[in-house]
Amino acid sequence: MAEIIQKDGTWTFDGDTVRIVPGSDKGVGLLRQALGELAVPLEAVAGASYEPGRKSGRLRLRLRNGADPLLQLAGGRLKDGSDPYQLNVENDRTGVAEYFVDAVRNALLIEQISADPVGRYLLPGPSLPVSATAGDGTAEFDGEQIRLSWNWKTEDAKASGGPRTIAVGDVEGVDWLPPSGLENGHLRFTVARIQSSAPAKYDPHAVELWGFRKDPLMAVVGAAVVARLPHPYAGEAPAALTAPAGTAPAAAPADDPDALLRRLRELGELHRAGVLTDDEFSTAKQAVLKRL
């Protein structure tokens, strides 16, 4: 089993599942705290990487497109502190982070898991019930109904209609847009048979966001709803999902032998420096040798 423990969080991999537990460091965003522990099946993983830095490095887990309702909603707009699939790694644990990456990559290769999109969600989305208060309102979702209620900062034209309840079966789409610069953001629900082009501040099916600390929590509510809507790729069936039975995935490019030899030398140096234990060094060494 591969494991890395940092102030930013703890990641473990047992060959089948990557478990991600957020840490208590001040840099851990409210969104990650609200999600809590995540269990990511290997089938949902497209890849893993480690990026060294001057003060600290960053371990990244890349998921297959369409596997996670949160990433489907966010569309690449999660900030680093809110992204549950990034882990800040202290420089003295670089060897452990790279070993973790090797373990995930080797498992993907052995299981022949493609990085292509998927036609169903492989993660269940946030736990229910879920609620968040930010901007001009509160959004709540219990699995069947969304309830939007307003506060003293809500525009009178929107607040005058009172709280809004939306059946999940009437929702055709969810749009989460984080604030950027002078532009406000929103969590907006597109409802069947109701056409609206009003800005979020006037739209009774949207919460307007102003760029405050709790704004990312609205993405948690949005992701819980997205997880219960039809999958966006289910009807389109990406090519990878419709390949003839027995078709083998494309072969992974061969590793550079020189790079692998350099990696072996680096592991030896980390072991001599006491960064890697005997067991960690032995396992990492074997993983590299298998790729030569």
Side-chain angles (χ1 to χ4, degrees):
M1 184 171 74
E3 180 179 59
I4 181 165
I5 303 173
Q6 294 290 278
K7 294 178 181 178
D8 200 33
T10 298
W11 288 19
T12 58
F13 177 56
D14 61 5
D16 296 314
T17 304
V18 178
R19 295 195 178 276
I20 298 174
V21 180
S24 56
D25 188 68
K26 62 180 180 181
V28 178
L30 292 179
L31 186 152
R32 289 170 59 193
Q33 295 176 26
L35 289 175
E37 180 177 339
L38 297 177
V40 184
L42 185 63
E43 182 188 4
V45 178
S49 63
Y50 174 71
E51 303 164 2
R54 231 175 73 182
K55 294 185 178 179
S56 64
R58 184 166 294 166
L59 182 60
R60 294 180 186 269
L61 193 69
R62 184 166 58 88
L63 269 58
R64 299 171 69 182
N65 195 8
D68 181 13
L70 173 64
L71 296 185
Q72 191 68 33
L73 173 72
R77 294 171 297 198
L78 286 177
K79 293 184 178 179
D80 290 348
S82 295
D83 189 342
Y85 304 113
Q86 296 186 25
L87 180 72
N88 290 327
V89 178
E90 297 172 4
N91 283 338
D92 64 352
R93 305 308 288 168
T94 292
V96 180
E98 292 178 339
Y99 167 60
F100 192 98
V101 169
D102 284 341
V104 173
R105 287 178 175 174
N106 287 336
L108 291 172
L109 184 62
I110 291 169
E111 298 298 329
Q112 294 189 323
I113 293 175
S114 167
D116 290 325
V118 292
R120 63 185 178 89
Y121 291 122
L122 301 177
L123 281 86
S127 301
L128 297 176
V130 61
S131 67
T133 298
D136 69 349
T138 297
E140 304 169 88
F141 181 52
D142 62 6
E144 296 181 357
Q145 291 186 325
I146 304 155
R147 177 180 170 84
L148 304 178
S149 52
W150 317 115
N151 55 42
W152 64 273
K153 296 170 283 188
T154 309
E155 285 288 328
D156 291 342
K158 183 160 76 172
S160 62
R164 186 61 55 111
T165 299
I166 309 166
V168 70
D170 292 334
V171 176
E172 294 184 337
V174 185
D175 182 40
W176 174 72
L177 179 68
S180 177
L182 298 177
E183 297 294 324
N184 292 338
H186 61 251
L187 174 66
R188 189 194 303 271
F189 299 96
T190 303
V191 181
R193 301 179 299 278
I194 297 178
Q195 300 293 326
S196 175
S197 58
K201 68 188 298 182
Y202 301 115
D203 187 349
H205 299 111
V207 176
E208 186 180 32
L209 305 174
W210 300 319
F212 296 127
R213 183 169 174 261
K214 292 185 177 181
D215 284 1
L217 293 177
M218 282 294 170
V220 180
V221 179
V225 178
V226 166
R228 285 150 185 86
L229 299 182
H231 195 283
Y233 304 149
E236 298 177 11
L241 302 178
T242 57
T247 300
D255 289 300
D256 180 358
D258 290 337
L260 292 175
L261 289 172
R262 286 196 299 271
R263 179 79 183 106
L264 284 173
R265 287 195 294 270
E266 291 169 359
L267 289 171
E269 292 170 0
L270 291 168
H271 181 230
R272 287 191 293 274
V275 174
L276 293 178
T277 65
D278 291 344
D279 288 343
E280 289 173 337
F281 171 66
S282 177
T283 304
K285 178 182 175 182
Q286 290 303 316
V288 174
L289 289 174
K290 287 179 181 178
R291 292 163 60 181
L292 274 171

